[in-house]
Each structure stands twice: as structure tokens, then as C-alpha cells.
Amino acid sequence: MEKSALQKARIDYAPKLPTSLQGSVKVKEGAPTQSVDDQEDIKKLFPNTYGMPVVEFEPSNETQTCEMNVGVILSGGQAPGGHNVITGLFDTIKRLNPNNKLYGFILGPGGLVDHKYIEITEDYINDYRNTGGFDMIGSGRTKLEKIEQFEKGLEIVRELNIKALVIIGGDDSNTNACVLAEYYAAKKYGVQVIGCPKTIDGDLKNDQIETSFGFDTATKTYSELIGNIERDCNSSKKYWHFIKLMGRSASHIALECALQCQPNICIISEEVKAKNMTLNQIVENICNVIAYRAEQGLNFGVILIPEGLIEFIPSIGKLIEELNDLLAAHGNDYKGLDEEAQREYILAHLSEENKQTFATLPANVARQLSLDRDPHGNVQVSLIETERLLSDMCDAKLEQWKEEGKYKGKFACLHHFFGYEGRCAAPSNYDTNYCYALGTSAAQLIANGKTGYMAIIKNTTKPTNEWRAGGVPITMMMNMERRNGEMKPVIRKALVELDGKPFKAFEKIRDKWARETSFIYPGPIQYWGPSEVCDCTTKTLELEQE
Amino acid sequence: MEKSALQKARIDYAPKLPTSLQGSVKVKEGAPTQSVDDQEDIKKLFPNTYGMPVVEFEPSNETQTCEMNVGVILSGGQAPGGHNVITGLFDTIKRLNPNNKLYGFILGPGGLVDHKYIEITEDYINDYRNTGGFDMIGSGRTKLEKIEQFEKGLEIVRELNIKALVIIGGDDSNTNACVLAEYYAAKKYGVQVIGCPKTIDGDLKNDQIETSFGFDTATKTYSELIGNIERDCNSSKKYWHFIKLMGRSASHIALECALQCQPNICIISEEVKAKNMTLNQIVENICNVIAYRAEQGLNFGVILIPEGLIEFIPSIGKLIEELNDLLAAHGNDYKGLDEEAQREYILAHLSEENKQTFATLPANVARQLSLDRDPHGNVQVSLIETERLLSDMCDAKLEQWKEEGKYKGKFACLHHFFGYEGRCAAPSNYDTNYCYALGTSAAQLIANGKTGYMAIIKNTTKPTNEWRAGGVPITMMMNMERRNGEMKPVIRKALVELDGKPFKAFEKIRDKWARETSFIYPGPIQYWGPSEVCDCTTKTLELEQE
């Protein structure tokens, strides 16, 4: 593998571990736990993995050894640091017994089902230490949810004498990890399943999980780009930049980038929903800022738009919900239809209220909402060009205001979408250490006989040696939600909380950012240099932990 | 000004200067020079600034002082390092005499004409040391080319007792700097004009100018993003990424990014033109690679597309040339027409051959070619969605091949355009030093009585103290070219040379990159750390200087 100078230099970095994970560990167990909601339902669905205690690792003086082969799976979208979860896992299981083997299932959960795997060896893994991407073993979006899959997976698990599977994924993948753990426990197969909290979207967090890995690096990468565009904007002073940001439903990425870069406007989907705002109101709010700045001679600015926005506009959200159910129910006869026939099909099946909303949407947006869902039944929001939709609507409104004499500026705009640029960035020092510790923690959960747990690391705004490591039962984070038209047990997705500190901090200052030009230019992620430059975490985490 | 941690830390960086610029200098003059072509025409147009020698600075033991107020102008698109040209200029004129003043004209050449300026003071400038952007004084695209503008500018030059103007710009802006120098010299106004080679596009280089500033940082920023996308691509293994890159007509940026990242395909416009390739041939070449990789089970890849491509496809290039002249001649009656009428207007005025080409273009591309030109009369190539045009055409061809049984893969694609993300990035260590040296050189050209010169720094692949500083007469780089329908004296644009070392290196290896997956992931620009990571220059410059 040919490498860049940075790749070569980073391979030599030794990730820092919390004191508790540096050698042998013992387990401290807490009290029995409850799921965050729908306790009776969850308990019934997970009789063998419900109610287990939160565990924390403490240093131990005893020599620790354990024979265990482990299988690891990367599930879903890439997030910086995934390779370091695997290196942490690898180094720990080898330390527990040099004969232990780590197997990587290829291209995601499908690799387990189809028996596609490699043994991860010292030689092989060294090329991937402290690197971005999931290319060490690849990732995929196959959902592990059917008994046949679990049984098919068991065959290869037995063949390779695997004691435990580690599934590195987002909320849905960790939900499935727990379903698998429960199934293997119920069948007394003696195969453990451990999850790891991965997603750049930042929506897998709660009282137990401070942050999902990759959020730090991805938001820093996007903030570098946003800052560069802000600086460009402030130099030529002639464009409004509409920047859409990845992040699925939640607006954590947009909010974090706003806190880092101080753009003129950042839309938070969760606020749009809470205030029951219409698309027209959003457009009017943006135009008010554009018109105010134009009066000051400032015909430029930067606007951040979370990719999930469209789902959170209540009328459109209702429409999407019905469309999700409709497409889940009628998927196959619908798929073969051409564009016009699909539109007619949808209009024929929608309720009256949603039919009206659908009919009034711009044609390309209506089309995009009618496309195939992802494997979890969700709209592929990243394909909807919300940034163009909004700027087109702003343009029309400003034209109207111009005619009415309410606006006298110039409005020229440029569009950007940042997503794929950040998912495989080389992990920041934070994610490098955090992920290595998560992998180490996962190995220790296995060595200590746990299943149905997610590896966790807490206290991460403190120096690394003060970080706290352990595991949390996945059922503890679950509730019942409607998915693909059915009620299912799922890990509750963490949306931006409007009374949380990050949003409050933003809310307090945003009018100033809108009126003035308060841009901050974070620049590229640094791996060396002053600690305040290269070791800082996200503003979100700083505010939440302060 | 609120600052990020990186901004704060970078302000303290002391740029490194070549030995010859660290103190007092003396001037070593070469032989009289000739323009690169059309010597008689250029000599006639520039009687006072033609034929001057190349000059080089050498260290001197004598104390050097000079009374001089200077005005500085940022012209055209932003490029990383512009602020450092100004800080180099500032520090040097203050060293030559603390009473010297530096004035910045606001928002580009228009600031000189409209008498909009600020005095750049120590307090003011310190916030901008080693930062990206042109926001210190702003930039603009007003062309300085009319006598009224020169005379209007002279008023404020006299009022502020300015001895010389420094114009930081690309090929067109430096051409205009020379026209202004010639005019002031002919009129014996005693006002000097010095240019500085700025452009991320890399097309302002020749035997005298190794590279234009900003190219290093911008290509590293784009390469960071391309590398991240390559890693994403190689992890999920399911998309073809079509990435368009800024760079105007020339393909230097695309070529440099290809050398850094090793994508599967990189189109070089200059080669397309030299080989007289049609759009269909380009598409077929891409599809051959896609089909070959599909046979190996590799239904993914990364393709780089220079934004100027469309102009270099000979049939389309001829069309654009005629359109440029047509729009220049008929600009005003054309502008008021609606879309359909503009199309009819164009079809009515085009020659038969170009009419046919125009009629066969996809509607949106034809539309984009019919839009307003930039102030230099060029098509705004960054607005043409070549990346979508190509992927749509590939999709259609692959469908056809599938029907013919020649292709059995899956083709899903994603699009990106990188441009604004790199123009205002924080300058790399290379650009930080290079620009500071250019500013210092410009100040010394003024102090040594030169006009119509461009500041230059050579030998920049060597350690900074070995860099060589001086100036080159702008007329030396000129020839006559057709612009806006007229022959004009202009600095010859440097396109990618097909027998140059960078292209040759690429040509030799590209088939391997197409067939295999040879991605390299450069990662973000580093300011600290191992020298091979943070002090390297571009592959283009390395190869050219080797």
C-alpha cells in the first residue's frame, strides 16, 4: 500500500489509554438497569439481556489472561476511527493470549452471513493504525435481523471457534447487535455480542454514551471547509453560500459546525419541528437576515442546513411518515413503475391532507421523497437538494420584496454539500485515542463474559488517563418506535435538545452572528503542535460536560 | 476578531526568508529581455517597460533606507497567502523607514479608482499574519484598463504620496499592472507598479516564475478532500465519484491532485485538445475503465475532472470561441432576452458548424454556455456541471453496453465540486514563506526604483534560505492573444505541457491507477510535525525542478 507522508507518520503514533485500561482490569458492577421507556415491552423482547448492570473497569494487579477468538464487523456508514477500534481490540486480545485470533468479516454484517472473512494479523493491521476509513475490512448495510442470518452466522462462528462478535455501528446496528446477543443467549450458544457506538451524526449518545466516535473528526473536517468558505465569502463579499451538511435526521453536525464557525444562519431541524414552522416561515426567516444585512451593505453570508431538515418540517414530516409506510407496504409493485406512474400511484394512495402537501412540493423535491428508502426504511435525505430548494425559494421571495420596495440588495448564491468528505478523514487525536480505548474496552467486556453490552468511554473532556472505561447494557438505551410500518425495539435516537447547553449557547448568540460578520476559521485538523490546537474536543461535548 | 485556536497559534509563526532578503540588498541585473512572442507588437505597445533585465537580489552590507509610501491591491479570485504578501511588504517598507506608510485599496482595483482605502497599521495587520483569505482589504474583479481609471487612480496616489502600487493578481491582473506601469512611465508620473504572481490555478508560471502562490495550499486542500473521498469509496465499494476541480482553463490543479491522490481517472483538458477528442470519446474512455473494473468486481472509483474541460473539447471549444465574440459584440441587446429567445438569438447568429454543435448539446449545458461572461470575457466554467454531464453520459453508454452484453456491473455515482473550499484555506508553510518573501521582494523592487516588474522567488524546492529573490519584467512574459474579440497583449497562460515532467509521470502510471486501486490519502495540511509532512511542496514543482 503506497502511503502519503502523513499516513506514514501517523502509523507511529501510540494511542493514549485511560489508566484503567493500561493493564489488567477488574469489573465494578452497578445496580440493575431499566430501558429508557416501554420497559415492559423491551423486557419481554429481551428476557436474557434486560436489566443487566452498567459496568466499569478498574485497574487490577492480577495477571489477566483469556483464550478467545473474536470476530469484528463494521456496520453502516463510515466514521473516522473505526480502524482504531479494531487495533485496540486486536492489541488487547493478543495481550490476553498471543494465540487469540481476530477475524474481520468482509463488507459489513453480510460478511458474517455469507462467511466472508479474513484473519487480521499483526502485519496486516499495522498499515491501518490511526488511519481513517473502513477499508481494512470494508463496511456494509445488510441488517442482521432474521433468525436464518443468526444461524448462518453461527456456522462460521463455530468453525472459527469465535467466542464473541464485536459490531461497530450506529443506533440501528447496535439495536441489531442486541437482538443477536439476545438470540444467542436464549439459545445458550455461548456466543457473546458487543457493540461500539459509531456514527459521525452524533445521534447515538445518552446518559451513558458521551459521544459516538467519528463525530469529532467529521465536524472538524466540515468546519475546516465551512471556515474556508466563510473566509472566501468575507473576502469577495458577493455570495450567499447555502451549505448542506450530512447528519441524517439530527442536527448535531450542523450545530457543532455553527459553534465552531459562527455562520450567519444555522437551521436546527429540531427547532423547526418544535415551533411547528412551515417551509415558508423558514424561508422568510432567512430572507429577513439577508435583507437586514443588505441594508448594511453586506450582500453576503453563510447558511448551514442540516440534511434532515425536510423531514422535520411538520407538514412534510407527516407526508414522509405516510410515504415510508406506503413504500414499505407496496415496495415491489411500486418499484417497477416509471416516474409519472410512481407519482400517480402515490397520489392515489395518500391521505387527503398529505396528498395536498405532496401536490404543492416543487417537482424535484416530490420526486426525491418518492425514491427508494435505505435498508432501515428511512428517506435518503442526503439526496434531497434542500440547499437549492431553500435558495430558490429565497430568491423568489426577495424578488417579491424588491418589487414591494422592502429589499434593495443583490442576491447571488452558491451551493455546497459536505458529507462524504468527512466520513473517512484521518481521525483527530481525540478520535484516535477514543476509538482505541473503545476497542480495548470491548475486548475487556468479552474477557469478562459480557454480552448485549456496548463498550463505553466517559469523562473524555479530561486528560486521557482520567477517562473512564466500561460497558452499558444495550437494552438500557431502548424504547419502542415505529419503523417500516411496525413497532420495533430500538435505541432511542438522540436529537438536538432545545434545552441542552449546546443549543442554548447557540440560541443566545445567533442574532449577533446573523447581523454582524462573526466568522471563525478553524482550519485543518492538526496532529502535532500546541495542545489547544491538536487535542481539543468538540464544542458540543465541552458545553455538555462543563 | 474572534479567533480559532489554530488562528491564534499561527499568528506567532515567523515566516522564513531567503538569505538574500533578510537584510539590506543590492541588485544584480541580467541582460536585456525579449517577450516570449510577438516581440515587435509588444515592444510597440510598451516602449517604456520593454526589454528591461531580469534582476536578482543579493545581500548587502550597506545600510539601506528608503522613503516610500506604497499602495497594495488584491485583484481577482482569492488565493491562500495573499495576506502574507502584504505582511512581507509591510515589514520591509517599515524597516526601510518607520515613517513609510502602506495603504490597502478596498475590494480590489475598484478601490484605487473609487479612492476607497485604509492605512494598514501594525495593530491592524497583526490579526492577519499567516492567515488565509483576502479579507484584510478585500478583493475584486474590476479591470484596470482605461486611461480614465489610471488618471482617477493617480489622484489618490498623489494625495497619499504613494511612490508605488503593488498589484497582487493572476495573469490578466498582472498584464493590467504592466499596462498601468507603462502608462505612468510614459506620462513620467514617477509612480511605479509592481505585480505579484497569484492564482490557485497554477497557470501563471514560466521560465521565470516557478509557481503562483496559493497553488500549493489549494491543491493540498483539495487533495485532502479527494483522499477522504477515495477512502470512503474504497470502504463502501459501491460508488463512482465524479469530482470536478476548480482551475479555470488549465488542468494543473487536477493533475497535481492526481499525482497526490492516485485516483482511477484524471482527465487533462490539454490532452483532450491535443488528441482532438470528442465528448463521446472521453465518455467511452471512462466507460472502458468502469467496465474493466466491474469485471474485477470493483464497481467503484474516483474520477477527477478539470472545470475547464468543456472548452478544450475541440468542437465545443470552437463553439465557445464564437460565442465569446458574439456575446462581446452583442452583449446589450442579448442580455434583456429570456432563455428561449437567447437560444434563438444564438442559433440565428452562429456559423453553420457551430450551430450544429450547439444544437446537439444537452439543454442545460447549452444554456450554461450562453450565460454572461466574466469581466475578462471568459466563460464561467465553474458553473457548468461537467461532472453531471459526464456521469449522465456514462450511465447511458453503460446501459447500452449492458444491453449488448458488454458490461455487467453496477453503476451508482456521486458528484462533487471543489473550488471555494481551497481559495481561502490557511496557507501551508510553503505558501506562508513564499508569499512573505514575494512581498519582501516587491518592496525591494520598489526601493530599487523598478516598475513594470513582477516579484519572483526561485529555487523553492530547496530549503528557504537557499531561495533566490528578484524581479522579472512583465513584458518578458507577454504575447498577443485574442480576447473579447480583439488581439491584446497578455501574459501567456501556462497550460499543462504534455511533454512536461508532471504530465509524463502521470501518463506513465495512469493505466495502473485505472485498473487497480492505488489511492493515496494525503490528509489535512499540517503546520507542525515531521518536516516531510509539513514542509513539502507540490508534486508538480518537485517533478519540474528535479
Side-chain angles (χ1 to χ4, degrees):
Chain A
M1 196 197 291
E2 216 174 323
K3 297 190 191 73
S4 70
L6 181 71
Q7 284 176 274
K8 287 180 204 157
R10 282 298 281 172
I11 282 177
D12 298 331
Y13 179 80
K16 294 173 195 158
L17 276 176
T19 310
S20 64
L21 288 180
Q22 287 170 7
S24 298
V25 310
K26 59 185 180 202
V27 168
K28 192 177 107 185
E29 297 202 345
T33 58
Q34 295 275 332
S35 64
V36 286
D37 207 347
D38 308 309
Q39 289 86 1
E40 286 314 305
D41 291 327
I42 305 290
K43 190 172 180 176
K44 208 179 295 169
L45 289 163
F46 296 90
N48 296 281
T49 52
Y50 188 86
M52 302 181 297
V54 172
V55 305
E56 185 170 348
F57 297 120
E58 295 186 337
S60 157
N61 292 326
E62 291 180 30
T63 310
Q64 197 191 5
T65 64
C66 181
E67 279 185 36
M68 57 191 217
N69 292 345
V70 173
V72 64
I73 296 169
L74 292 164
S75 179
Q78 285 81 259
H83 287 161
N84 265 34
V85 177
I86 301 178
T87 57
L89 188 58
F90 178 87
D91 292 348
T92 311
I93 71 170
K94 290 289 180 185
R95 188 166 55 72
L96 292 174
N97 185 328
N99 296 323
N100 288 339
K101 289 186 172 165
L102 179 64
Y103 295 101
F105 289 98
I106 300 298
L107 285 173
L112 177 69
V113 179
D114 303 334
H115 299 187
K116 294 192 176 145
Y117 67 92
I118 51 163
E119 189 192 334
I120 299 175
T121 60
E122 182 77 28
D123 266 1
Y124 185 75
I125 207 171
N126 284 342
D127 267 349
Y128 294 94
R129 290 183 185 273
N130 315 310
T131 60
F134 278 8
D135 45 311
M136 188 200 292
I137 53 175
S139 181
R141 293 193 184 270
T142 302
K143 285 192 79 159
L144 284 183
E145 49 183 5
K146 299 203 187 96
I147 288 177
E148 309 89 83
Q149 295 173 313
F150 302 165
E151 289 290 341
K152 201 86 183 77
L154 185 71
E155 290 171 16
I156 190 69
V157 162
R158 291 290 186 235
E159 189 182 319
L160 300 173
N161 190 26
I162 285 175
K163 179 181 163 77
L165 294 170
V166 175
I167 297 178
I168 302 169
D171 51 345
D172 286 323
S173 304
N174 275 285
T175 294
N176 292 340
C178 194
V179 173
L180 183 62
E182 175 64 31
Y183 179 82
Y184 284 169
K187 291 279 185 178
K188 301 199 190 327
Y189 288 160
V191 180
Q192 299 158 241
V193 183
I194 299 295
C196 274
K198 170 232 72 172
T199 167
I200 62 164
D201 304 337
D203 57 4
L204 176 47
K205 68 175 171 182
N206 48 48
D207 290 344
Q208 303 304 324
I209 299 173
E210 286 188 0
T211 187
S212 54
F213 79 75
F215 179 70
D216 187 89
T217 307
T219 53
K220 280 172 181 159
T221 304
Y222 303 143
S223 294
E224 171 198 357
L225 302 179
I226 296 163
N228 288 358
I229 285 173
E230 285 179 341
R231 195 134 214 175
D232 201 89
C233 177
N234 196 28
S235 299
S236 63
K237 300 190 193 290
K238 62 181 179 185
Y239 291 117
W240 276 90
H241 292 264
F242 285 68
I243 304 176
K244 187 174 70 168
L245 294 167
M246 218 176 229
R248 298 271 292 272
S249 298
S251 304
H252 297 292
I253 287 181
L255 178 57
E256 171 62 25
C257 292
L259 292 167
Q260 285 193 40
C261 303
Q262 305 191 169
N264 302 98
I265 297 175
C266 174
I267 301 173
I268 301 295
S269 306
E270 291 84 344
E271 184 183 24
V272 167
K273 186 172 189 180
K275 295 190 173 164
N276 210 4
M277 290 166 76
T278 63
L279 190 53
N280 186 53
Q281 280 174 313
I282 297 171
V283 169
E284 218 161 84
N285 287 354
I286 297 174
C287 288
N288 279 328
V289 173
I290 295 173
Y292 176 88
R293 287 178 63 86
E295 276 172 32
Q296 326 299 312
L298 308 174
N299 287 300
F300 64 91
V302 170
I303 302 178
L304 304 187
I305 304 157
E307 69 171 356
L309 173 64
I310 200 95
E311 293 186 274
F312 280 71
I313 299 167
S315 61
I316 300 180
K318 275 182 216 151
L319 167 66
I320 290 176
E321 236 171 80
E322 192 179 345
L323 279 174
N324 282 351
D325 290 356
L326 190 64
L327 295 192
H330 299 268
N332 284 331
D333 48 335
Y334 173 82
K335 264 179 201 159
L337 302 176
D338 71 14
E339 200 165 314
E340 191 45 40
Q342 285 193 340
R343 189 178 164 84
E344 277 168 27
Y345 182 100
I346 285 173
L347 284 168
H349 287 78
L350 282 179
S351 65
E352 199 47 43
E353 183 191 354
N354 287 332
K355 194 188 296 185
Q356 282 180 16
T357 308
F358 189 80
T360 56
L361 285 177
N364 60 334
V365 177
R367 172 80 198 128
Q368 286 164 325
L369 293 182
S370 321
L371 293 175
D372 279 353
R373 297 310 191 242
D374 77 7
H376 303 294
N378 300 319
V379 178
Q380 293 182 275
V381 281
S382 73
L383 297 180
I384 301 175
E385 295 192 317
T386 329
E387 68 281 24
R388 280 179 206 271
L389 171 71
L390 288 179
S391 80
D392 285 354
M393 291 181 73
C394 285
D395 198 22
K397 189 166 289 287
L398 291 168
E399 274 303 312
Q400 184 196 323
W401 285 7
K402 200 168 247 178
E403 278 168 27
E404 295 166 9
K406 287 161 66 180
Y407 166 71
K408 290 193 186 65
K410 279 184 199 169
F411 179 68
C413 57
L414 290 169
H415 304 94
H416 313 266
F417 168 46
F418 298 134
Y420 297 94
E421 296 79 358
R423 307 196 315 173
C424 287
S428 63
N429 287 345
Y430 176 87
D431 271 329
T432 303
N433 295 328
Y434 183 53
C435 290
Y436 191 79
L438 279 174
T440 306
S441 225
Q444 288 292 7
L445 286 168
I446 299 167
N448 286 279
K450 303 296 174 191
T451 189
Y453 273 76
M454 208 184 300
I456 55 166
I457 302 291
K458 288 183 153 192
N459 219 28
T460 63
T461 50
K462 295 287 184 329
T464 328
N465 55 359
E466 294 173 37
W467 291 8
R468 286 159 48 201
V472 55
I474 298 176
T475 52
M476 188 182 176
M477 301 177 274
M478 285 190 176
N479 64 6
M480 301 297 291
E481 287 178 25
R482 195 174 186 80
R483 293 287 169 92
N484 269 328
E486 281 180 62
M487 289 307 285
K488 295 233 170 159
V490 294
I491 296 176
R492 181 183 276 179
K493 213 182 257 304
L495 300 179
V496 169
E497 288 176 15
L498 301 186
D499 55 0
K501 287 178 183 174
F503 181 79
K504 284 285 173 201
F506 164 70
E507 193 182 29
K508 202 170 149 189
I509 193 81
R510 66 176 161 187
D511 286 346
K512 182 175 183 302
W513 296 352
R515 289 193 307 270
E516 302 171 15
T517 303
S518 311
F519 300 154
I520 287 186
Y521 315 119
I525 291 175
Q526 297 297 302
Y527 300 98
W528 297 272
S531 179
E532 65 276 16
V533 176
C534 65
D535 295 325
C536 58
T537 178
T538 59
K539 303 277 176 196
T540 301
L541 198 55
E542 267 174 33
L543 288 161
E544 283 173 345
Q545 302 291 318
E546 89 188 346
Chain B
M1 194 197 293
E2 215 173 326
K3 297 190 192 73
S4 69
L6 181 72
Q7 283 176 274
K8 287 180 203 158
R10 282 299 282 172
I11 283 177
D12 298 332
Y13 179 81
K16 295 173 194 157
L17 275 176
T19 311
S20 62
L21 289 180
Q22 287 169 8
S24 299
V25 310
K26 59 184 180 205
V27 169
K28 191 178 109 185
E29 297 202 345
T33 59
Q34 296 275 333
S35 64
V36 285
D37 206 348
D38 308 309
Q39 288 86 1
E40 285 313 305
D41 291 328
I42 306 289
K43 189 173 182 176
K44 207 178 295 168
L45 289 163
F46 297 90
N48 295 281
T49 52
Y50 188 87
M52 301 182 297
V54 172
V55 303
E56 184 169 349
F57 296 121
E58 295 186 338
S60 157
N61 293 326
E62 290 179 30
T63 309
Q64 196 191 6
T65 62
C66 181
E67 278 183 38
M68 57 191 217
N69 293 345
V70 174
V72 64
I73 296 170
L74 291 165
S75 179
Q78 285 82 258
H83 287 162
N84 265 36
V85 178
I86 303 179
T87 57
L89 189 58
F90 178 87
D91 291 349
T92 311
I93 71 170
K94 290 289 181 187
R95 190 166 54 72
L96 291 173
N97 186 328
N99 296 325
N100 288 341
K101 288 186 174 167
L102 179 64
Y103 296 99
F105 290 97
I106 300 298
L107 284 172
L112 177 71
V113 180
D114 302 335
H115 300 188
K116 293 194 175 143
Y117 67 93
I118 53 164
E119 188 193 335
I120 298 175
T121 59
E122 182 78 28
D123 266 2
Y124 185 74
I125 207 170
N126 283 342
D127 268 349
Y128 295 94
R129 289 181 185 274
N130 315 311
T131 60
F134 278 8
D135 46 310
M136 188 200 290
I137 53 176
S139 180
R141 294 193 184 268
T142 301
K143 285 191 79 157
L144 284 184
E145 51 183 3
K146 299 201 187 97
I147 289 177
E148 309 89 83
Q149 294 174 313
F150 303 164
E151 289 292 341
K152 202 85 183 80
L154 185 72
E155 290 172 16
I156 190 69
V157 162
R158 291 287 187 240
E159 188 181 322
L160 301 173
N161 190 25
I162 285 174
K163 178 181 166 73
L165 293 170
V166 175
I167 297 178
I168 302 169
D171 52 345
D172 286 323
S173 304
N174 275 287
T175 295
N176 293 339
C178 194
V179 174
L180 183 63
E182 175 64 32
Y183 180 83
Y184 285 169
K187 291 280 184 177
K188 303 200 191 321
Y189 288 159
V191 180
Q192 300 158 242
V193 183
I194 299 294
C196 275
K198 169 230 73 168
T199 169
I200 62 163
D201 304 337
D203 57 5
L204 176 47
K205 68 175 172 184
N206 47 49
D207 289 344
Q208 303 305 323
I209 298 173
E210 286 188 356
T211 188
S212 54
F213 79 76
F215 179 70
D216 186 89
T217 307
T219 53
K220 281 174 180 157
T221 303
Y222 303 143
S223 294
E224 173 199 357
L225 302 179
I226 295 163
N228 288 358
I229 284 172
E230 285 180 340
R231 194 134 214 175
D232 202 87
C233 178
N234 196 27
S235 299
S236 64
K237 301 189 191 290
K238 63 181 179 185
Y239 291 116
W240 276 90
H241 292 264
F242 284 68
I243 304 177
K244 188 175 70 170
L245 293 167
M246 216 175 230
R248 299 273 291 271
S249 298
S251 306
H252 297 291
I253 286 182
L255 179 57
E256 170 63 24
C257 292
L259 292 167
Q260 285 193 42
C261 303
Q262 306 192 170
N264 303 98
I265 297 175
C266 174
I267 301 172
I268 302 296
S269 307
E270 291 84 345
E271 184 184 24
V272 167
K273 186 170 188 180
K275 295 190 174 164
N276 210 3
M277 290 166 76
T278 63
L279 190 52
N280 185 53
Q281 281 174 315
I282 297 171
V283 169
E284 218 160 83
N285 288 353
I286 297 174
C287 287
N288 278 327
V289 173
I290 294 174
Y292 176 88
R293 287 177 63 85
E295 276 170 34
Q296 326 299 311
L298 308 173
N299 287 298
F300 64 91
V302 170
I303 303 177
L304 304 187
I305 304 157
E307 70 172 357
L309 173 64
I310 201 93
E311 292 186 276
F312 279 73
I313 299 169
S315 61
I316 300 180
K318 276 182 216 151
L319 167 66
I320 290 177
E321 236 172 81
E322 192 178 347
L323 279 174
N324 283 351
D325 290 356
L326 190 64
L327 295 193
H330 298 268
N332 284 332
D333 48 336
Y334 174 82
K335 264 180 201 158
L337 301 176
D338 69 17
E339 199 165 314
E340 191 44 42
Q342 286 192 340
R343 189 179 164 83
E344 278 168 25
Y345 183 101
I346 286 173
L347 283 169
H349 287 79
L350 280 180
S351 66
E352 198 49 43
E353 183 191 355
N354 288 331
K355 195 189 296 183
Q356 280 181 16
T357 309
F358 189 79
T360 57
L361 286 177
N364 61 333
V365 177
R367 171 79 199 129
Q368 284 164 326
L369 293 182
S370 323
L371 293 174
D372 279 355
R373 297 306 191 250
D374 77 7
H376 304 293
N378 301 320
V379 178
Q380 293 182 278
V381 280
S382 74
L383 296 180
I384 300 175
E385 294 191 316
T386 329
E387 68 281 23
R388 280 180 206 270
L389 171 70
L390 288 179
S391 80
D392 285 355
M393 291 183 72
C394 286
D395 198 21
K397 188 164 291 285
L398 291 168
E399 275 303 313
Q400 186 197 323
W401 286 7
K402 201 169 247 176
E403 279 168 28
E404 297 166 8
K406 286 161 66 181
Y407 166 71
K408 288 190 187 65
K410 279 184 199 169
F411 179 66
C413 58
L414 291 169
H415 304 94
H416 313 266
F417 168 47
F418 298 133
Y420 297 92
E421 295 80 357
R423 307 195 316 172
C424 286
S428 62
N429 287 345
Y430 176 88
D431 271 328
T432 303
N433 295 328
Y434 182 54
C435 290
Y436 191 80
L438 279 174
T440 306
S441 224
Q444 288 291 9
L445 287 168
I446 299 167
N448 285 281
K450 304 295 174 193
T451 189
Y453 274 77
M454 209 184 301
I456 54 165
I457 303 292
K458 289 184 153 191
N459 219 27
T460 63
T461 50
K462 295 285 184 333
T464 328
N465 54 0
E466 295 172 34
W467 291 6
R468 288 161 46 204
V472 56
I474 298 176
T475 51
M476 188 183 175
M477 300 177 275
M478 285 190 178
N479 65 176
M480 301 297 290
E481 288 178 26
R482 194 173 185 79
R483 295 287 169 91
N484 270 328
E486 279 181 64
M487 291 306 286
K488 296 233 167 158
V490 294
I491 296 176
R492 181 182 276 180
K493 213 182 257 305
L495 299 179
V496 169
E497 288 176 14
L498 300 186
D499 54 0
K501 287 179 182 172
F503 181 79
K504 283 286 174 200
F506 164 71
E507 193 182 28
K508 202 170 149 191
I509 193 80
R510 65 176 160 187
D511 286 345
K512 182 176 184 301
W513 296 352
R515 289 192 307 270
E516 302 170 15
T517 303
S518 310
F519 300 156
I520 287 185
Y521 315 118
I525 291 174
Q526 297 298 301
Y527 300 98
W528 297 272
S531 179
E532 66 274 18
V533 176
C534 65
D535 296 325
C536 58
T537 177
T538 58
K539 303 274 178 198
T540 301
L541 199 54
E542 266 172 35
L543 288 162
E544 283 173 346
Q545 301 292 318
E546 139 200 286

